[in-house]
């Protein structure tokens, strides 16, 4: 019983040499977004992933979500997964809110009746009012984000993968979504939360890792790792 | 909360070619609702944008027929008897084939954004493109039916065998659609090449001319006549024309062989797709 990540040394080839740090290129000139990462998240843990932009945090989430496969080593996840990598995942501009909710449900492989049952709740939480009958292209950025957040968080997963989502929408929605996140984090068996918001990471997570240049450079309790990271970046 | 041991959802062990193909076929079955939803939403999407909406599904093939009729029938003066019906019997399925291939080629690339965010069996994308293209063929049967008001003597019970011919056509559309959709992710030039490839294929298929005329011409250029016989669309269009125009039974043996020979290509294309698919999200 439990959720296990056995992520060892995943890599990502990108022909983006111009903007690349040389230490992340291998002898054949390939770019390793992540390398030599060994990590195991147990059931009941919530892991914060911190580090500067371009460190490989989001790539780690994509590997865990099954979107990209590791080129080196293996990654395993046990249990159902919900991902909030970017909001508005999978929305089609020409479909209305209800149709988009069903579409995302189909992408995720959730049975249609179950998804249909959740529609009222999702729409209520997203609070997009009359626009729910209009095609998604007419939505404001905030509305799209709210709908995306509501859809993704309406699913009760074993494993929750989050990429910087608490900073969505206006203050009122932020407060509401914060509450829901806490709820979800209580229900999910394991959480991996990529963020720059150190306060939130400290509040929600039990453990933290710091990634830099594609490698894990710190791993420990959230307060330790985040405390050390704060000190370093202040210097 | 569930108490069953959590299933492995990411990180299945690497499979061999047969395992990959079986897994893909199973996933197509499991995700048939997604395929259907993607296909039907792409049809509905077009309807909102134009004044005439879905009427274009009927107008489009009608106008295309009119143009070819003017070109071949009036300008080149090559009409067969009941020429509009002769043309339409081949142009309508050809049009379906073209639409299926072009939209499938783009299908994976088009959904790049979704693939960055949700893990799902990407094979559903070319599959949905094929399914939604069927609509254009079905609606095209309406103006075709109207032509029988002009040539009632051409209508026969053999028209009822169209679904069988459609099946063979789908069988051959599949490997092309799947392979092209995967390759086009990496080399976008393919969508341009496909356009011209299809146009070339159109002229070496019995679409504007009858099969006999085509073999006559090809007979003068030795390798061409063999190539012509290897083109599956030749046999498919022949069958449509027998049924819709000549009012006779299709060549069942040719159809059966055409259908069966597609299977190894389909399996190969699925394997190719699955070998390339882990890199889709990285490239897009």
């Amino acid at each position: 019983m439990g959720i296990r990540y056995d992520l060892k040394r995943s890599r990502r080839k990108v022909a983006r040499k111009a903007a690349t740090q040389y230490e992340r290129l291998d002898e054949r000139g390939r770019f390793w977004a992540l390398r030599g990462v060994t990590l195991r998240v147990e059931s009941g843990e919530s892991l914060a992933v911190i580090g500067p932009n371009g460190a490989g945090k989001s790539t780690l989430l994509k590997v865990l979500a099954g979107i990209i496969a590791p080129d080196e080593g293996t990654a395993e996840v046990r249990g159902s997964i919900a991902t909030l990598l970017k909001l508005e995942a999978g929305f089609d501009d020409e479909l209305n809110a209800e149709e988009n909710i069903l579409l995302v449900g189909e992408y995720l492989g959730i049975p249609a009746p179950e998804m249909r049952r959740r529609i009222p709740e999702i729409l209520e939480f997203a609070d997009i009012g009359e626009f729910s009958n209009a095609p998604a292209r007419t939505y404001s950025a905030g509305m799209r984000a709210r709908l995306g957040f509501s859809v993704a968080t309406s699913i009760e997963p074993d494993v929750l993968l989050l990429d910087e989502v608490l900073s969505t929408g206006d203050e009122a929605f932020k407060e509401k979504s914060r509450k829901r996140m806490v709820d979800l984090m209580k229900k999910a068996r394991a959480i991996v939360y990529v963020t720059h918001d150190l306060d939130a990471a400290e509040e929600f997570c039990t453990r933290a890792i710091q990634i830099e240049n594609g490698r894990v450079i710190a791993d420990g309790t959230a307060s330790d790792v985040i405390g050390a990271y704060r000190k370093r970046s202040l210097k | 909360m569930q108490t069953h041991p959590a299933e492995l959802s990411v990180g299945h062990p690497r499979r061999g070619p047969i395992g990959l193909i079986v897994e893909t076929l199973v996933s197509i079955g499991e995700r048939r609702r997604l395929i259907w939803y993607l296909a039907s939403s792409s049809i509905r999407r077009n309807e909102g944008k134009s004044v005439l909406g879905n009427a274009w599904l009927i107008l489009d093939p009608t106008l295309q027929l009119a143009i070819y009729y003017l070109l071949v029938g009036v300008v080149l003066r090559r009409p067969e008897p009941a020429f509009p019906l002769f043309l339409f019997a081949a142009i309508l399925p050809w049009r379906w084939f073209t639409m299926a291939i072009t939209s499938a080629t783009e299908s994976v690339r088009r959904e790049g954004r979704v693939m960055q965010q949700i893990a799902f069996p990407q094979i559903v994308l070319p599959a949905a493109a094929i399914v939604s293209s069927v609509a254009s063929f079905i609606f095209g049967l309406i103006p075709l039916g109207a032509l029988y008001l002009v040539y009632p003597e051409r209508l026969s019970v053999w028209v009822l065998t169209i679904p069988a011919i459609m099946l063979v056509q789908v069988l051959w559309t599949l490997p092309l659609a799947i392979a092209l959709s995967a390759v086009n992710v990496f080399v976008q030039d393919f969508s341009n090449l496909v356009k011209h490839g299809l146009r070339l294929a159109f002229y070496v298929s019995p679409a504007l001319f009858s099969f006999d005329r085509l073999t006559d011409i090809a007979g003068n250029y030795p390798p061409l006549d063999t190539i012509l016989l290897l083109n599956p669309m030749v046999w498919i269009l022949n069958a449509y024309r027998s049924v819709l125009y000549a009012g006779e039974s299709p060549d069942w043996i040719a159809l059966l062989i055409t259908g069966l020979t597609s299977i190894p290509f389909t399996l190969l294309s699925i394997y190719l797709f699955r070998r390339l698919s882990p890199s889709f999200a990285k490239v897009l």
Side-chain angles (χ1 to χ4, degrees), chain A residues 33-227:
Chain A
L34 284 174
R35 199 165 199 190
V37 176
T38 306
L39 181 68
R40 187 185 172 104
V41 179
E42 298 292 341
S43 172
E45 265 187 326
S46 56
L47 176 76
V49 182
I50 56 173
N53 286 326
K57 303 186 296 292
S58 299
T59 306
L60 176 64
L61 275 198
K62 281 187 187 167
V63 172
L64 295 177
I67 292 167
I68 51 184
D71 294 284
E72 202 176 76
T74 55
E76 271 181 25
V77 179
R78 291 185 188 276
S80 62
I81 305 175
T83 51
L84 262 166
L85 302 188
K86 277 180 202 154
L87 295 165
E88 64 173 272
F91 287 170
D92 185 321
D93 272 351
E94 297 300 327
L95 302 180
N96 68 28
E98 201 165 297
E99 290 166 326
N100 266 313
I101 293 169
L102 291 172
L103 178 64
V104 173
E106 296 291 349
Y107 271 126
L108 294 169
I110 297 167
E114 203 181 320
M115 209 63 201
R116 201 159 272 138
R117 199 164 42 79
R118 290 183 188 150
I119 287 177
E121 183 207 322
I122 293 172
L123 287 179
E124 197 204 311
F125 191 86
D127 194 21
I128 54 172
E130 291 295 303
F131 277 90
S132 61
N133 293 319
R137 69 185 139 84
T138 62
Y139 295 7
S140 73
M143 284 158 67
R144 292 180 82 105
R146 291 202 310 262
L147 186 60
F149 182 88
S150 311
V151 174
T153 54
S154 72
I155 301 145
E156 290 178 13
D158 296 327
V159 180
L160 185 61
L161 306 172
L162 306 168
D163 195 346
E164 200 76 80
V165 286
L166 289 180
S167 48
T168 295
D170 51 26
E171 282 308 316
F173 190 77
K174 241 182 228 173
E175 190 45 43
K176 204 160 73 161
S177 56
R178 211 177 171 87
K179 243 184 236 146
R180 182 172 255 200
M181 291 292 305
V182 177
D183 254 21
L184 264 180
M185 287 182 160
K186 278 181 199 147
K187 283 184 201 154
R189 299 199 210 159
I191 295 152
V192 178
Y193 178 31
V194 166
T195 186
H196 291 288
D197 182 349
L198 298 180
D199 293 332
E202 228 169 354
E203 183 187 339
F204 291 133
C205 298
T206 55
R207 180 181 159 196
I209 58 171
Q210 184 188 342
I211 297 187
E212 220 157 274
N213 287 336
R215 291 175 190 272
V216 178
I217 59 165
D219 184 349
T221 64
S223 53
D224 284 357
V225 174
I226 292 166

Side-chain angles (χ1 to χ4, degrees), chain B residues 93-105 126-127 129-131 133-134 165-181 198 232-233 236 240 258-259 262-263 265-266 269:
Chain B
W94 183 267
R95 193 172 157 274
W96 172 28
F97 180 69
T98 319
M99 291 176 84
I101 297 292
T102 43
S103 92
T105 303
I130 294 178
V131 172
S133 70
V134 177
I165 310 172
M166 286 172 72
L167 177 69
V168 175
Q169 185 175 345
V170 168
L171 285 177
W172 264 105
T173 309
L174 273 171
L176 287 167
I178 292 171
L180 286 169
S181 70
L198 282 169
M233 281 310 276
I236 294 167
Y240 280 113
T258 310
S262 75
I263 291 170
F265 289 98
T266 304
S269 72

Side-chain angles (χ1 to χ4, degrees), chain A residues 8-47:
Chain A
K8 286 181 206 120
R9 298 181 308 195
S10 78
R11 82 177 182 203
R12 194 177 176 208
K13 276 178 272 179
V14 178
R16 199 173 40 180
K17 286 183 195 150
T20 288
Q21 310 96 320
Y22 282 99
E23 62 265 33
R24 289 170 88 173
L25 296 180
D26 65 10
E27 64 288 346
R28 286 169 64 188
R30 292 174 304 192
F31 178 83
W32 294 75
L34 284 174
R35 199 165 199 190
V37 176
T38 306
L39 181 68
R40 187 185 172 104
V41 179
E42 298 292 341
S43 172
E45 265 187 326
S46 56
L47 176 76

